[in-house]
Amino acid sequence: MKKTIFLSVVVIGCCWMASTTMAKSCSTSPETHKDMLQTVLNLAKENPDAEPVKEVLSSKPEDIKLKMLKDTGAVVVYQVDVGGSTFVMKKLKKERMCDEKEREKFASETKHLIRVQSLIPQLMPSVYCWSDKNSCMAIEDISLFRSLDSNLKSGDVSRTTFTQVAETVARMHKATNAITEPELLQELEQEFQVNAETVGHFASGILRMSLDHLKQPGPLEDAAVRFLTSGQTKSAVETIVDDARNKKQALLHGRLIGKTVLFKDEQIRLSEEASFFVGPYAFDVGRLLAQYLSSYYEHMLTEENNDWHRQIMYLMIDAAKDTMDSYQAAMGDALQNQQDFISDVAAYAGLELVRRSLNSIREESKALEVLQSGIRLFNARKRIPDSGRLVVIALTLTL
């Protein structure tokens, strides 16, 4: 009897110690400077030959400068300055380290980034080294790069940038396209299967936002309500999603919007905040085009009637035209069935405008007009014969 009691006490004690250890490793306390420094040191020890991370091993702790850049809720991002070099650390937060799904997700995103880097060099920030054990990676510091989104708002962007961005997107699509690289694309489809439903999530998110807005009184007008509640619209969106599942054309970035397109001087980078998957070219191109259309509408609909706003409008007309022309020229024979491509670009650009406007319609009066423009562009998708007319039609839909 005594032996049984003793064993019970031992088991309970061990369980308590195990739960205490788990609680410590899953601490909800914020990431401290000491935590960050230790992560950098551990990564450098695991990868003693990785440039520029190895500089950490020969430096004093006080000579390693750390600066927090971002906290996404799941991941912390900070800049490391050591030995005259800088790099960026991305690390899963302490409280997420005990969640196996979060660890798997971080590992998957890291492997995806490395795979894309191996296929298309200098497309994304370079990965220097990583650790599955500690759920962290060191990547190229691109803090001096500017986002396309912020520069479109200020107008601080040259026309050559639009051509460079379009050619960069085409470089990614052409390197992995189904016509010249069919075996590679089949491999990529399996490797990036986790994001296969990106188009479906994009579309269902728009429909869900529509329902949320319709449940409350707000600024939506009758025409917008009819579109958002129409069974015909829902059916058309579902058809596009089904079509996307069958169009295995190339590896896509998946989140090609102004915030994820970065540039500095003549260099273009696409942000690592991507959702890589194999799908239709037009999904990336349409969302990028919507960025320029959105900026055009923003300046056209402003109450201030001055030359600066008009200049930005004219620049966005060039941006939309140059994007379509440069992308198609760069793709060459890899882009077949132009009419189908144009129709799909119009559909995705229209849906992206709807998504953007629904996100801000209760705060910005201009958002309703952008929403209606997106609806008209989506509805006109089958009646647009070429890229030149696509741009003209898209830019006149607010009139």
Side-chain angles (χ1 to χ4, degrees):
M1 180 69 178
K2 289 182 178 179
K3 186 175 181 180
T4 302
I5 294 172
F6 173 75
L7 288 173
S8 299
V9 171
V10 170
V11 170
I12 292 170
C14 289
C15 291
W16 178 82
M17 289 175 66
S19 64
T20 303
T21 301
M22 181 64 77
K24 286 181 179 178
S25 64
C26 294
S27 169
T28 56
S29 60
E31 305 284 333
T32 65
H33 184 279
K34 184 178 179 181
D35 293 329
M36 296 179 188
L37 183 59
Q38 190 60 54
T39 299
V40 175
L41 289 170
N42 290 342
L43 184 63
K45 288 174 183 177
E46 279 189 56
N47 302 271
D49 298 322
E51 295 278 6
V53 181
K54 70 178 187 180
E55 296 288 340
V56 169
L57 298 175
S58 58
S59 301
K60 297 178 181 179
E62 59 267 27
D63 293 332
I64 304 172
K65 308 301 181 185
L66 305 177
K67 177 185 177 183
M68 176 72 81
L69 298 178
K70 185 164 55 175
D71 182 340
T72 69
V75 173
V76 285
V77 182
Y78 46 97
Q79 185 185 63
V80 183
D81 187 340
V82 58
S85 300
T86 61
F87 59 91
V88 167
M89 285 287 295
K90 296 187 72 172
K91 174 187 178 295
L92 196 63
K93 292 178 74 172
K94 289 189 294 184
E95 65 264 29
R96 303 296 183 102
M97 290 290 287
C98 293
D99 188 328
E100 192 61 30
K101 288 185 178 179
E102 289 280 8
R103 290 174 64 88
E104 288 176 0
K105 180 183 176 184
F106 188 90
S108 175
E109 290 174 351
T110 302
K111 289 181 175 63
H112 286 175
L113 189 56
I114 294 165
R115 177 63 159 141
V116 173
Q117 177 179 303
S118 71
L119 291 169
I120 313 122
Q122 297 187 321
L123 179 79
M124 321 284 292
S126 298
V127 179
Y128 298 132
C129 57
W130 69 96
S131 169
D132 287 337
K133 175 184 175 183
N134 295 308
S135 295
C136 65
M137 63 174 163
I139 65 174
E140 177 186 2
D141 179 17
I142 55 171
S143 58
L144 295 180
F145 281 65
R146 300 169 294 172
S147 76
L148 184 62
D149 182 51
S150 61
N151 281 70
L152 287 178
K153 290 178 180 177
S154 65
D156 185 20
V157 60
S158 67
R159 184 171 177 178
T160 56
T161 300
F162 310 132
T163 297
Q164 290 176 317
V165 171
E167 290 174 347
T168 298
V169 176
R171 185 160 64 92
M172 178 181 183
H173 292 174
K174 196 168 184 178
T176 61
N177 79 91
I179 296 172
T180 61
E181 303 291 343
E183 293 181 3
L184 171 61
L185 195 62
Q186 287 181 356
E187 291 177 16
L188 295 175
E189 186 180 353
Q190 293 302 315
E191 291 177 43
F192 294 89
Q193 185 63 35
V194 66
N195 295 329
E197 285 301 307
T198 295
V199 177
H201 296 323
F202 168 73
S204 62
I206 294 171
L207 295 174
R208 186 172 59 252
M209 277 195 293
S210 302
L211 291 174
D212 290 343
H213 279 288
L214 294 169
K215 288 176 183 176
Q216 351 173 7
L220 294 177
E221 292 185 355
D222 288 346
V225 170
R226 284 197 300 273
F227 174 83
L228 296 173
T229 58
S230 165
Q232 186 177 358
T233 298
K234 186 172 184 294
S235 177
V237 171
E238 289 172 349
T239 298
I240 287 171
V241 172
D242 288 339
D243 191 41
R245 293 191 182 106
N246 296 320
K247 284 182 178 172
K248 310 295 185 182
Q249 294 178 329
L251 183 67
L252 310 183
H253 183 276
R255 293 194 69 239
L256 204 58
I257 54 179
K259 293 178 181 178
T260 59
V261 177
L262 312 168
F263 65 97
K264 183 185 75 170
D265 301 326
E266 300 298 312
Q267 301 178 68
I268 303 289
R269 291 285 191 279
L270 302 184
S271 167
E272 76 278 9
E273 296 177 8
S275 182
F276 300 110
F277 75 105
V278 171
Y281 303 133
F283 185 72
D284 273 352
V285 179
R287 296 190 75 183
L288 177 62
L289 180 63
Q291 176 68 58
Y292 301 133
L293 297 177
S294 179
S295 183
Y296 170 85
Y297 296 143
E298 180 181 347
H299 289 280
M300 190 190 79
L301 297 170
T302 187
E303 293 180 1
E304 298 177 51
N305 183 21
N306 59 44
D307 289 339
W308 182 76
H309 285 294
R310 280 190 288 273
Q311 288 173 7
I312 304 300
M313 283 170 51
Y314 299 149
L315 186 62
M316 291 306 97
I317 295 172
D318 292 334
K321 183 178 183 301
D322 291 350
T323 294
M324 296 302 298
D325 291 347
S326 300
Y327 177 84
Q328 289 174 288
M331 288 297 288
D333 293 339
L335 184 61
Q336 298 184 339
N337 198 336
Q338 297 268 345
Q339 181 60 61
D340 199 33
F341 170 72
I342 296 298
S343 176
D344 286 350
V345 169
Y348 291 123
L351 288 175
E352 174 65 11
L353 289 174
V354 169
R355 185 192 70 81
R356 287 166 175 259
S357 56
L358 287 175
N359 272 331
S360 59
I361 200 163
R362 296 188 181 279
E363 291 77 39
E364 298 181 20
S365 58
K366 292 180 285 189
L368 177 60
E369 294 185 67
V370 176
L371 170 64
Q372 292 171 329
S373 298
I375 289 171
R376 294 184 190 116
L377 181 57
F378 179 83
N379 286 336
R381 66 192 183 280
K382 295 292 187 182
R383 304 191 299 274
I384 302 175
D386 53 56
S387 61
R389 294 186 191 181
L390 166 62
V391 172
V392 171
I393 290 170
L395 293 172
T396 56
L397 286 174
T398 51
L399 302 177

